[in-house]
Structures are given as C-alpha cells and as structure tokens.
C-alpha cells in the first residue's frame, strides 16, 4: 500500500520543491516528485495538505522530557506518551538526554532507555504517531564544577575510559552523543575513545580556554552543547571555548532559542557565525514542558517553573521550549527564512550526529518522518514512519 502526500511546498530542507508529491511505502519515502509532472501511481491514496509545507520531522538531540515525564525516571510504558506529545510540536525523533546523577542510577536509566530505543526501532504502535528515541545523549557526568549549571556537584566525575565504557555498556551502545568539558583531567582520552565509537562528542559545561577547546577538536570533538550557556564567557582578548566554537568551521554547535537562555541579538550573532549548515537548534526541554507551572523533576534535580523559566537554586535548569517555537523564534530573531530555521532543526542535527541517511531529510530511502507546517511555522500534522494521519 502506497500513500501519497501533497501540499503547496516541500522543504528537503536543503531545497524547496513546489507542488510536491511525496510517496510513502512501508514507512519509508519511496519517491519525491512534483504533482504536475506525475500521475498518481496505481493503488495509491492521496492526502492533500493544501497550503501546508511538508518538512522533515524535527530531531531534538538535547531533550530531557515533557508532558510531565522525565526520560531518566519514566518507565518504558510511559515513554510513548512523551513521544506523542512531541509529535504535536513537529518532533519525530529525539535523543533521550541524561543529567549528572549517581552512576548506578544512571546505568539503570540507560538500560531502560536502551530498551525503549530497541522496542521502537521497528514498530509504530497503533495509529498514534510517537516521536521515537533513537539515541542517548550523556550530558554529564564529565562536566566542569565551575560551569556545571544545575548538575549536582556530588554527581560530577573525572572522565576515564573505564567509566565511559560502563555507561556505554549499560546503554548497550546506544550512546550517540556525549557532552564533556575538555579541560578536566582525563577528558582528552575519553573524547578520543568516544569519537572512535562514532559518538558525537560535544564540548560544553566547560570553563576551557581556547587552546584546550582546539585540542578537544583535534582529539575528535565536533560539536558544542547549548552555546553560551554553562561556558566560560567570550572576551575579545580571551576568547575561550566560545571563540573556538564560533570560529571553527569543523564543528557544528547548538543553541537554545527560547529568548531566555540567550538574548535574541546574540542568537543572531551565533547564526551568522555558524551559518545555515552548522547551526543546530535544541530545546533542552524538561518534564514541565507542556504542563502547568509548578515544581518538576529533572533527573535527580527539583526544578521550579514560573513565567516560562525553569530554575533550581536560582540557576537556569533546562527549558519548557518546544522545537516548533524554537524554529519560529529563529525567523523572528534573524533574517533566516522558515526553511533555514527548519534545516537547523532537521538536517543539521542529523548530520552533526551522523544520522542523515534516514533522519532530518526528505529523500527516497529516508524514514517517512515528517511534519506539515503552515507558512508561519505552526504544526498542522506530524507523520511518523508513514503513520498518524
Ligand atoms: Zn540539558
């Protein structure tokens, strides 16, 4: 059974196609053409989204939870509810992101997340679309004490390959991303080992000076975590880690565009520095996302949410940002088009983590994970593996 989808435009997102015809077979995209150039193949039903835009589903590589659920604490049976919530904001895949917690508790969470990743790899349960966890992002425990943000100091650990391997084994190899402060003793060895295992090594929660950040890139780091937040600040004579992140084209970098974590003008500077191919949007969203204000958990941390701001002991503690709003904010804070902003939430993160063969892009052979947007970037519908309409 084939299903064809049409709308007014399609973002691949590197290109824009007018009057698109996107054909889905067995959960994958089998063909993309234009409506005018092609008759509908036999045995194909057509879904017309009118003035909508077909865009790849958003890939959030830094996400701690939402809809009241925390990825380190939720049971495997609860995660589909989070996945369904995420689709209402255009997300079709995410990296379940940990925070620094006691190692035993972290390992328990990692093996549960590995179960979730493996159980959603092949099936879509029922007709309710659910964003799928497709990897794990270890945000900690190898973070700088000075730039730890709200990660509990007692849970920070000096990096060793042995500890990294213990986490890796608990996650059964599903660790796809590691945020690490390169200046702490032992970090360079772990960076090299993680890179060797195809992990996207991201520098962050770091007080590194620029030469150390450069050494990290030489050791295998190729990304930066929530640029500006939990980093030694940029100074024009002492550029530090941010100087390296903004100036080095070998690395991609992500940013939280909620208008709270980074001022809009600095978001614009970031977008200009990293450009349309290397800027990545993340939410850093916590369980409170999509919920009323109040007190919520972020792993072992209690977080208060008020006026759209998440804090623990006065420090920012993640966000209640959704990816569709991050995309719209980019178009408000800069001169980037909706397609540019969508690219930063789809193809760019997929390329940064080495998953662009199937994710973050609309092309034959890719997963049929897409979202239908209005021209203002509002989510109309989200399809995961060809299901959910
Ligand atoms: Zn985070």
């Amino acid at each position: 059974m084939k299903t064809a989808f049409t709308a007014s435009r399609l973002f691949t997102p590197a290109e824009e196609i007018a009057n698109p015809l996107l054909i889905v077979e067995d959960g994958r995209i089998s063909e993309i053409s234009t409506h005018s150039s092609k008759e509908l193949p036999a045995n194909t039903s057509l879904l017309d989204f009118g003035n909508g835009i077909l865009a790849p589903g958003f890939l959030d590589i830094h996400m701690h939870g939402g809809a009241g659920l925390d990825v380190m604490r939720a049971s495997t049976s609860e995660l589909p509810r989070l996945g369904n919530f995420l689709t209402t904001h255009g997300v079709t895949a995410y990296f379940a992101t940990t925070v620094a917690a006691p190692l035993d508790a972290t390992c328990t969470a990692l093996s549960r997340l590995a179960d979730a990743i493996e159980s959603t790899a092949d099936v879509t349960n029922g007709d309710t679309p659910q964003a799928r966890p497709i990897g794990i992002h270890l945000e900690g425990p190898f973070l700088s004490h000075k730039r730890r943000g709200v990660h509990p100091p007692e849970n920070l650990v000096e990096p060793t390959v042995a500890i990294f391997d213990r986490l890796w084994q608990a996650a059964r190899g599903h660790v796809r991303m590691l945020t690490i402060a390169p200046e702490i003793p032992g970090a360079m060895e772990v960076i090299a080992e993680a890179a060797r295992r195809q992990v996207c090594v991201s520098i962050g929660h770091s007080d590194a000076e620029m030469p150390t950040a450069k050494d990290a890139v030489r050791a295998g780091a190729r990304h930066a975590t929530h640029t500006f937040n939990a980093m030694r600040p940029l100074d024009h004579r002492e550029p530090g880690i941010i100087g390296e992140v903004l100036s080095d084209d070998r690395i991609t970098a992500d940013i939280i565009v909620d208008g709270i974590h980074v001022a809009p003008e600095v978001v614009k500077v970031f977008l200009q520095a990293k450009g349309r191919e290397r800027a990545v949007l993340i939410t850093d969203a916590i369980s409170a996302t999509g919920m009323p204000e109040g007190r919520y958990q972020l792993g072992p941390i209690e977080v208060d949410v008020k006026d759209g701001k998440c804090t623990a002991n006065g420090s920012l503690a993640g966000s209640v940002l959704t990816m569709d709003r991050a995309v719209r904010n980019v178009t408000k804070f800069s001169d980037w088009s909706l397609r540019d902003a969508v690219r930063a939430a789809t193809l760019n993160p997929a390329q940064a983590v080495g998953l662009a063969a199937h994710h973050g892009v609309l092309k034959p052979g890719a997963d049929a994970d897409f979202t239908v947007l209005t021209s203002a970037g509002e989510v109309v519908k989200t399809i995961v593996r060809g299901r959910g309409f």
Side-chain angles (χ1 to χ4, degrees):
M1 180 63 189
K2 292 182 186 178
T3 312
F5 298 86
T6 186
S8 72
R9 291 182 282 164
L10 179 147
F11 297 160
T12 66
E15 286 169 15
E16 177 171 330
I17 296 171
N19 304 311
L21 193 64
L22 181 141
I23 298 176
V24 172
E25 215 176 333
D26 298 328
R28 286 190 190 270
I29 297 170
S30 62
E31 199 182 328
I32 295 176
S33 58
T34 64
H35 205 268
S36 48
S37 71
K38 200 163 184 317
E39 290 286 298
L40 214 53
N43 301 322
T44 304
S45 55
L46 179 70
L47 243 96
D48 187 347
F49 287 107
N51 285 328
I53 298 164
L54 304 177
F58 303 143
L59 167 59
D60 193 349
I61 58 175
H62 191 143
M63 212 279 309
H64 300 283
L69 297 167
D70 179 84
V71 296
M72 288 186 86
R73 299 161 69 94
S75 69
T76 319
S77 63
E78 286 176 315
L79 281 178
R81 188 154 59 82
L82 170 61
N84 185 244
F85 165 74
L86 292 171
T87 61
T88 64
H89 295 285
V91 175
T92 54
Y94 65 93
F95 282 177
T97 305
T98 61
V99 295
L103 277 180
D104 284 341
T106 303
C107 287
T108 307
L110 291 176
S111 74
R112 203 166 48 227
L113 290 169
D115 290 342
I117 291 165
E118 287 164 12
S119 71
T120 57
D122 298 316
V123 285
T124 304
N125 302 321
D127 284 322
T128 316
Q130 293 157 13
R132 292 175 291 155
I134 58 168
I136 293 166
H137 175 175
L138 295 176
E139 187 182 18
F142 310 134
L143 310 177
S144 147
H145 275 270
K146 192 160 178 202
R147 304 286 173 193
R148 65 183 174 82
V150 298
H151 293 259
E154 65 274 19
N155 297 336
L156 302 183
V157 175
E158 281 204 356
T160 65
V161 171
I163 296 173
F164 172 70
D165 190 58
R166 192 176 152 202
L167 299 168
W168 174 269
Q169 299 298 341
R172 300 203 291 281
H174 291 295
V175 174
R176 289 255 177 207
M177 193 161 179
L178 169 71
T179 292
I180 185 167
E183 71 277 18
I184 37 181
M188 292 300 172
E189 221 187 326
V190 170
I191 289 172
E193 179 57 25
R196 202 182 61 75
R197 298 185 195 189
Q198 315 294 323
V199 173
C200 172
V201 178
S202 187
I203 49 176
H205 280 280
S206 163
D207 198 45
E209 313 249 6
M210 190 158 72
T212 310
K214 283 188 188 297
D215 286 346
V217 175
R218 230 167 276 129
R222 55 188 154 104
H223 191 76
T225 296
H226 45 50
T227 308
F228 299 105
N229 296 119
M231 283 180 178
R232 166 187 286 266
L234 175 77
D235 177 276
H236 58 295
R237 270 189 288 270
E238 296 283 343
I241 178 173
I242 295 175
E244 169 61 9
V245 170
L246 295 184
S247 67
D248 192 333
D249 284 349
R250 290 171 299 177
I251 59 176
T252 49
D254 62 53
I255 189 166
I256 308 168
V257 187
D258 61 354
I260 294 170
H261 280 74
V262 181
E265 293 75 9
V266 179
V267 169
K268 196 171 170 184
V269 169
F270 171 87
L271 296 174
Q272 287 171 347
K274 293 319 294 177
R276 286 168 171 78
E277 295 175 6
R278 295 181 191 85
V280 172
L281 303 181
I282 56 165
T283 63
D284 202 1
I286 69 164
S287 56
T289 311
M291 302 291 286
E293 297 189 336
R295 178 160 286 192
Y296 291 87
Q297 287 296 137
L298 167 57
I301 308 154
E302 288 206 317
V303 178
D304 290 309
V305 182
K306 201 174 182 311
D307 303 327
K309 213 169 168 174
C310 307
T311 54
N313 299 322
S315 289
L316 280 176
S319 83
V320 288
L321 180 63
T322 55
M323 200 52 116
D324 57 330
R325 195 154 58 84
V327 165
R328 292 192 296 272
N329 282 344
V330 163
T331 65
K332 284 179 198 146
F333 296 172
S334 74
D335 59 357
W336 282 23
S337 68
L338 180 62
R339 182 166 66 83
D340 296 330
V342 163
R343 179 175 179 150
T346 57
L347 182 59
N348 293 359
Q351 282 178 332
V353 300
L355 290 175
H358 296 283
H359 298 278
V361 60
L362 297 181
K363 65 178 180 190
D367 290 3
D369 287 358
F370 58 95
T371 186
V372 184
L373 303 173
T374 67
S375 53
E378 303 281 345
V379 174
V380 177
K381 187 67 99 179
T382 300
I383 308 282
V384 181
R385 291 246 160 142
R387 311 278 288 270
F389 49 87

